[in-house]
Amino acid sequence: MTAKYAIILAAGQGTRMKSKLYKVLHPVCGKPMVEHVLTQIEKNDMDEIVTVVGHGAQKVEETLGTRTKYTLQAEQLGTGHAVLQAESLLGDRDGMTLIACGDTPLFTAKTFSELFEYHKSKGAVATVLTAKAENPFGYGRIIRNELGIVEKIVEQKDTNKEEAAVKEINTGVYCFDNKELFHALHKISNDNSQGEYYLTDVMEIFQQEGKVVAAYRMKDFSESMGVNDRIALSKATAVMRMRINEEHMRNGVTLIDPQNTYIDTDVKIGSDTVIEPGVQLKGHTVIGNDCFIGAHSEILDSVIEDNVTVTASYLEEAIMHKESNIGPYSHLRPQADIGEAAHIGNFVEVKKAHIGKNTKVGHLTYVGDATLGKEINVGCGTIFVNYDGINKHHTNVGDYSFIGSGSNIIAPVEISDHAYVAAGSTITDDISSHDMAIARGRQVNKKGYFDHYPVAKAAIEAEKKQ
Ligand code: UD1
Ligand code: CA
């Protein structure tokens, strides 16, 4: 088996992005571009992966962690110079080296694997991955001789008129014989319009040395899209979005309007789940089978079990157990844990709270720092008063209890099983099982008071005059 190495070029700043964030860290469907590249490379059973970092080196290393080794390119003198920085880590090894850029997020593991195979089958020292672009502007052009053999790669800024008309482009992905690569890199110069050491110049060097240079042309240009500015970023995101969405549809998920459904790369969805337009599923969200996710819901890093209904709601770091439902217009905040078949209605906010099986929190309620048992009814407009201005306090409510509408439950407080809170109560003391707490001012009826009410008085006078 030939050893396989990879070098990811990720040292550039990406001036054309006009951003504080380093180019390769811009996310595409929830994941930084360079991480997409790494993930697809990893699937090819690599012996070593080296990422060349420079601008934002620390941030890039934080993002990719120990999945790759790093080499620093302190000054960005071009892609050829960048690859040379990996020499101390890889230079003396036998094997094949794949090179990819951190700003081409759409390449698939399959394409990389095909490139390795093609490279081996041609017995080449270098194989460039090419594609046909309708609009090749900005890419390096593949210049072939009359026999169709690749002679050189010419960068956009160095093209003459004839070369500029060539539609076959360099995707920025290559496979090299590892030792030959570093040998040739020492021979390139920066004698070009950008004054940079171009990796692409090694092709011409191999040609001159009479070594076999090959080109593997891929069918789908969109996969090779390089992101240099925000327009390309949005185009790459659109391609990635459709790729993700089609995969879910193939797996049995109904997307009513896939163009307008935004699902991050790592999200998982079970079959027969229906997702309406405008939904955003982000981060590491996992959704079960037979769920319904209604229009414009946004779900971040949450777990949704089977048969759950989410209607126009916003969920972050929450869990909804099977057959529960929420919405419209409710908010689950971190550590909201909604029990089996529980009902969270409209305008309800839940934070760091467990809602037990079959419990109903129907309307206009805040539940924070609380543990609610099963089969409880929480009336409209209830507030779990959890914060005293300094600390948060916890409330427990036992099974089968009833909280009347408009109650304030001032934590910390224990409400036992089968307890009853009368509507409008402000609860500050614990309630025992089978008791009712009523904690509100007594109603006083003032005889004839209405007639003293100034507006009413005026109305009565006016009526008399008619
Ligand atoms: C490069 C190729 C071009 C190809 C295109 C495909 C060269 C000379 N040109 O052009 O033929 O069509 O990709 O997308 O290779 N980088 C470094 N250090 C540097 C310079 C760049 O690490 O000194 C990294 C960048 O972070 C980026 C990648 O290399 O991830 C490509 O650099 P970029 O400047 O975007 O090259 P292009 O002009 O797109
Ligand atoms: Ca680029």
Side-chain angles (χ1 to χ4, degrees):
M1 272 287 278
T2 320
K4 285 185 286 186
Y5 315 111
I7 300 172
I8 302 173
L9 306 183
Q13 172 156 39
T15 329
R16 288 165 281 181
M17 295 296 282
K18 304 225 167 69
S19 177
K20 289 181 286 302
L21 188 65
Y22 305 103
K23 176 166 75 173
V24 298
L25 294 180
H26 275 265
V28 167
C29 297
K31 196 182 258 195
M33 292 198 278
V34 65
E35 196 182 339
H36 282 289
V37 177
L38 175 60
T39 303
Q40 298 304 317
I41 288 176
E42 280 172 336
K43 290 182 184 168
N44 277 286
D45 261 339
M46 308 302 293
D47 292 280
E48 193 83 272
I49 303 173
V50 176
T51 302
V52 183
V53 292
H55 281 283
Q58 199 188 333
K59 284 258 156 53
V60 175
E61 291 183 28
E62 276 166 23
T63 304
L64 302 180
T66 55
R67 293 163 63 186
T68 154
K69 288 196 169 161
Y70 300 94
T71 184
L72 184 71
Q73 185 193 24
E75 232 186 322
Q76 281 64 56
L77 303 178
T79 48
H81 177 258
V83 175
L84 203 50
Q85 309 311 304
E87 190 174 30
S88 57
L89 291 167
L90 295 177
D92 58 353
R93 301 209 206 167
D94 288 318
M96 306 184 281
T97 300
L98 175 82
I99 295 185
C101 298
D103 66 349
T104 50
L106 297 168
F107 283 110
T108 58
K110 186 164 170 277
T111 298
F112 292 146
S113 139
E114 285 167 4
L115 177 63
F116 276 129
E117 289 311 313
Y118 188 84
H119 175 80
K120 275 198 280 188
S121 73
K122 291 287 160 187
V125 294
T127 304
V128 55
L129 184 65
T130 76
K132 192 176 169 219
E134 273 322 306
N135 175 15
F137 186 85
Y139 290 94
R141 306 297 204 286
I142 304 295
I143 309 301
R144 294 176 184 260
N145 65 18
E146 55 284 359
L147 297 172
I149 293 166
V150 179
E151 213 152 54
K152 57 182 175 177
I153 300 171
V154 181
E155 289 307 296
Q156 175 69 45
K157 286 186 179 155
D158 302 300
T159 51
N160 59 33
K161 211 171 157 206
E162 208 180 309
E163 290 161 343
V166 172
K167 293 203 160 165
E168 188 180 9
I169 57 110
N170 168 22
T171 64
V173 174
Y174 325 76
C175 185
F176 291 101
D177 174 276
N178 186 60
K179 283 185 172 167
E180 291 282 1
L181 166 65
F182 290 103
H183 151 82
L185 280 174
H186 284 286
K187 298 190 166 183
I188 60 175
S189 80
N190 63 352
D191 182 18
N192 52 54
S193 65
Q194 300 189 82
E196 287 186 4
Y197 293 92
Y198 292 159
L199 170 60
T200 44
D201 284 354
V202 299
M203 296 301 181
E204 212 176 339
I205 290 167
F206 288 136
Q207 271 298 346
Q208 286 159 3
E209 293 179 346
K211 290 169 181 158
V212 180
V213 173
Y216 176 58
R217 182 140 138 197
M218 56 195 287
K219 285 175 212 80
D220 180 10
F221 165 74
S222 70
E223 196 181 317
S224 68
M225 201 184 293
V227 174
N228 293 324
D229 59 25
R230 309 244 187 182
I231 295 165
L233 180 68
S234 77
K235 286 182 180 159
T237 301
V239 172
M240 184 72 86
R241 181 187 310 139
M242 281 315 288
R243 194 188 281 177
I244 292 169
N245 290 357
E246 283 173 11
E247 181 69 15
H248 287 298
M249 290 189 280
R250 272 193 288 274
N251 289 340
V253 179
T254 295
L255 304 184
I256 305 292
D257 182 2
Q259 303 283 354
N260 294 297
T261 304
Y262 308 85
I263 304 175
D264 278 358
T265 317
D266 291 332
V267 169
K268 295 189 170 57
I269 311 173
S271 70
D272 286 323
T273 283
V274 176
I275 300 183
E276 288 200 325
V279 166
Q280 302 186 63
L281 305 177
K282 297 181 174 178
H284 291 91
T285 292
V286 178
I287 296 179
N289 300 323
D290 303 299
C291 292
F292 175 84
I293 312 295
H296 304 294
S297 294
E298 185 171 341
I299 305 180
L300 170 69
D301 289 327
S302 296
V303 175
I304 310 290
E305 293 184 354
D306 297 345
N307 283 297
V308 166
T309 296
V310 175
T311 309
S313 289
Y314 181 74
L315 281 59
E316 40 176 341
E317 293 170 45
I319 300 176
M320 290 189 72
H321 294 280
K322 64 177 184 179
E323 287 153 33
S324 59
N325 65 78
I326 186 169
Y329 316 118
S330 281
H331 184 184
L332 297 186
R333 291 171 51 202
Q335 297 178 56
D337 178 359
I338 310 304
E340 185 181 330
H343 165 66
I344 306 294
N346 47 183
F347 304 106
V348 174
E349 177 179 335
V350 180
K351 184 219 79 168
K352 204 178 179 184
H354 171 73
I355 309 291
K357 185 174 172 182
N358 282 328
T359 286
K360 294 179 177 59
V361 186
H363 341 258
L364 299 154
T365 289
Y366 173 65
V367 187
D369 298 282
T371 304
L372 276 62
K374 64 180 180 184
E375 308 277 355
I376 295 167
N377 189 83
V378 177
C380 174
T382 296
I383 297 170
F384 283 73
V385 184
N386 60 332
Y387 187 46
D388 61 13
I390 299 166
N391 295 309
K392 302 275 166 69
H393 301 279
H394 195 88
T395 293
N396 291 317
V397 182
D399 300 343
Y400 303 101
S401 289
F402 182 93
I403 313 282
S405 294
S407 295
N408 296 309
I409 315 289
I410 301 186
V413 75
E414 298 283 329
I415 300 176
S416 297
D417 290 354
H418 301 92
Y420 196 103
V421 172
S425 290
T426 294
I427 300 297
T428 52
D429 298 331
D430 296 352
I431 309 170
S432 302
S433 195
H434 294 273
D435 287 358
M436 178 181 84
I438 179 162
R440 53 169 126 102
R442 274 277 177 184
Q443 180 170 335
V444 178
N445 290 357
K446 305 261 184 177
K447 199 123 193 98
Y449 182 85
F450 180 85
D451 300 347
H452 299 288
Y453 173 51
V455 179
K457 229 167 138 181
I460 291 161
E461 292 301 322
E463 203 168 78
K464 273 187 198 158
K465 278 188 196 143
Q466 274 177 7

